[in-house]
Amino acid sequence: MDRLESLGNQLSKITMYDIKSAYVQAKNMVLNVSEMEAKVQEATNDDPWGASSTLMGEIAQGSVQRQGMTDTQLM
């Protein structure tokens, strides 16, 4: 019974953003989206807090590399 209560407590802490994040990750895997494309999509989504500076730095760094630049420009 203790394990069932523990599971219930964990499930009660899941937010809508957690569910959305899991959905986006699954969709990216199914559609074979590259890592750079996924980062650009995450940075330009409609979440109210905007993109993190770390994410923006990774996109900037990736835009210097040939494949990352292509993926970034196609978005």
Side-chain angles (χ1 to χ4, degrees), residues 1-58:
M1 191 62 155
D2 188 37
R3 292 178 71 178
L4 188 57
E5 289 176 16
S6 174
L7 179 61
N9 287 338
Q10 289 176 350
L11 289 176
S12 68
K13 294 178 184 177
I14 293 178
T15 65
M16 197 60 158
Y17 291 111
D18 295 331
I19 295 170
K20 181 180 177 183
S21 175
Y23 168 76
V24 168
Q25 287 177 347
K27 183 178 80 170
N28 287 345
M29 287 178 62
V30 169
L31 296 177
N32 198 25
V33 175
S34 74
E35 183 180 353
M36 185 56 65
E37 288 176 313
K39 287 179 182 182
V40 171
Q41 288 175 354
E42 182 181 347
T44 58
N45 66 15
D46 60 354
D47 287 342
W49 51 80
S52 68
S53 58
T54 304
L55 181 60
M56 296 300 285
E58 290 172 358

